Amino acid sequence: MQKRDYYEVLGVDRSGSAEDIKKAYRKLAMQFHPDKNPGDKSAEEKFKEIGEAYAVLSDPAKRQQYDRFGHRMPSESFGGSGGGGIDPFEIFREMFGGGMGGFDPFGFGGGTDINPEESSRGSNLQVTVHLELEEIATGVEKKIKIRRQKSCEVCHGNGTKPGSKKTTCKTCGGRGQVRQVQRTILGQVATITSCPNCQGSGHIIDDPCKECDGEGRVRGEVTVAVKIPVGVRDGNYLTLRGQGHAGRRGAPAGDLIVIIQEKEHSHFTRHGDDLIYDLVIPFTKAALGGEVEVPTLKGKAKLKIPSGTQSGKQLRMRGAGIPHLNGYGNGDQIVVVTVW
């Protein structure tokens, strides 16, 4: 079954702002949530479709890729869609629960358990890597220095002084959350918040590590190697799992988002995977024809000029462009002739 356009799914214009997209998602997600439509399979499918559309259009980099390629956008590492790995319920929780203390918008009082590790997960980092066209054409490994919170080497990330142990938090029973149910005119409202006693970790540290003050992480500088595949474009990005800020007290680390930015080239203009090169030749060469030497990404190459060539003539050098991302073959180099 062919997928519907994501803008159509959310009912927003293609020029709509991030706030327009968020408002549209909130309205539709509340309308089609399975808890509000028990046993309605069509509502459940609609809810998943809405979540997938919002996951792409709410992310600036993914939205840029979708606007360019539609549903044929590049693979997941580069902002692709396809719905793979998208959890519509997690998106819903982040929208209605993550920033509102676990608020249950339907008043059912069910709530959602918070994983103590996830609540202390390290935040993501974002860096931009500037690449030459030559590097994009061959692929390259870049080493990036970043400042981030990393695991404490003294306590190995658990926050306790060496030789001491953690104890289970008595306030939340090790769950890392406390929950209250209140009756309102709209029905029961359950609020789930991070435990104030253990700050969501589920454990109490009686004897904290002096190096990190019980956090399990310290700020430092690290060098990360990033392998850039051939054929990437401006705005593509890679996600390096677990290379972001270290989590609190041994919780999982965040991710490192590496955004690709192309440098302007002295000779070529990129158009998709094709390269455009402007060549100026004298009138005699245009009239009589002959060979000229032109630059390519791999060095100098000979190009035949047919006799009687006019200004604006385009000569195509097959396969001299950028390799296709996640595919086979190369783009071409297009030489645009100007007669002087």
Side-chain angles (χ1 to χ4, degrees):
M1 180 178 177
Q2 187 174 5
K3 290 188 177 183
R4 289 201 298 155
D5 180 80
Y6 285 151
Y7 291 98
E8 179 187 340
V9 170
L10 295 181
V12 296
D13 190 79
R14 299 190 79 85
S15 60
S17 66
E19 189 61 30
D20 293 334
I21 291 170
K22 181 182 289 187
K23 286 180 180 178
Y25 171 77
R26 289 175 69 94
K27 179 181 178 180
L28 292 171
M30 289 285 285
Q31 180 182 349
F32 292 102
H33 193 287
D35 287 349
K36 202 170 183 180
N37 303 272
D40 188 340
K41 286 293 184 182
S42 63
E44 183 178 348
E45 290 302 316
K46 182 73 173 177
F47 180 73
K48 292 178 181 179
E49 184 183 40
I50 294 164
E52 182 180 325
Y54 178 74
V56 173
L57 298 185
S58 64
D59 184 305
K62 290 183 179 181
R63 183 179 179 182
Q64 182 184 46
Q65 292 294 300
Y66 181 74
D67 288 344
R68 183 182 298 180
F69 299 104
H71 290 296
R72 294 189 301 171
M73 56 200 289
S75 64
E76 188 71 20
S77 296
F78 299 95
S81 57
I86 294 177
D87 183 351
F89 296 95
E90 180 62 29
I91 294 171
F92 185 86
R93 284 194 292 270
E94 289 179 2
M95 173 66 75
F96 292 98
M100 302 175 65
F103 172 62
D104 179 358
F106 303 118
F108 297 149
T112 303
D113 287 339
I114 299 173
N115 185 334
E117 282 196 346
E118 286 300 318
S119 66
S120 301
R121 182 179 182 271
S123 56
N124 294 342
L125 274 171
Q126 181 174 299
V127 296
T128 300
V129 173
H130 301 268
L131 299 176
E132 304 280 358
L133 277 178
E134 287 82 359
E135 294 175 317
I136 292 173
T138 60
V140 66
E141 180 174 285
K142 290 284 188 178
K143 292 187 177 180
I144 308 171
K145 283 187 177 181
I146 56 174
R147 290 191 62 79
R148 70 181 185 191
Q149 290 176 319
K150 59 181 184 178
S151 181
C152 176
E153 295 180 357
V154 175
C155 65
H156 303 292
N158 62 26
T160 61
K161 183 179 179 180
S164 62
K165 296 182 178 179
K166 299 178 182 179
T167 58
T168 301
C169 176
K170 295 180 180 179
T171 302
C172 65
R175 293 187 298 273
Q177 63 177 344
V178 290
R179 177 178 165 205
Q180 294 178 330
V181 179
Q182 297 177 323
R183 292 186 178 277
T184 71
I185 58 174
L186 299 175
Q188 285 188 328
V189 175
T191 54
I192 303 174
T193 59
S194 181
C195 177
N197 190 37
C198 65
Q199 288 78 50
S201 68
H203 298 88
I204 297 296
I205 296 176
D206 297 317
D207 198 359
C209 171
K210 294 181 179 180
E211 179 69 20
C212 63
D213 293 326
E215 281 287 304
R217 56 188 182 181
V218 293
R219 185 163 289 277
E221 185 176 82
V222 297
T223 300
V224 178
V226 183
K227 289 186 177 180
I228 311 292
V230 297
V232 294
R233 301 186 183 190
D234 197 73
N236 285 160
Y237 64 91
L238 299 92
T239 301
L240 276 64
R241 304 294 181 190
Q243 292 293 340
H245 288 298
R248 187 169 176 268
R249 297 179 181 176
D255 301 329
L256 176 63
I257 312 298
V258 181
I259 299 176
I260 306 300
Q261 192 169 94
E262 293 180 14
K263 292 182 181 179
E264 186 176 341
H265 200 276
S266 58
H267 296 312
F268 305 113
T269 301
R270 184 174 180 179
H271 183 74
D273 287 338
D274 292 336
L275 297 176
I276 311 299
Y277 176 70
D278 293 315
L279 174 67
V280 178
I281 60 174
F283 174 77
T284 53
K285 180 70 71 175
L288 302 175
E291 277 192 345
V292 294
E293 196 175 62
V294 296
T296 71
L297 290 180
K298 296 181 178 180
K300 298 289 185 177
K302 296 289 186 179
L303 176 66
K304 184 178 180 180
I305 306 295
S307 60
T309 295
Q310 303 292 318
S311 278
K313 175 73 173 178
Q314 295 184 5
L315 304 175
R316 187 176 295 269
M317 302 174 69
R318 299 287 181 184
I322 302 292
H324 301 315
L325 176 64
N326 296 332
Y328 298 96
N330 290 40
D332 301 328
Q333 180 169 314
I334 300 171
V335 179
V336 181
V337 177
T338 298
V339 179
W340 176 77

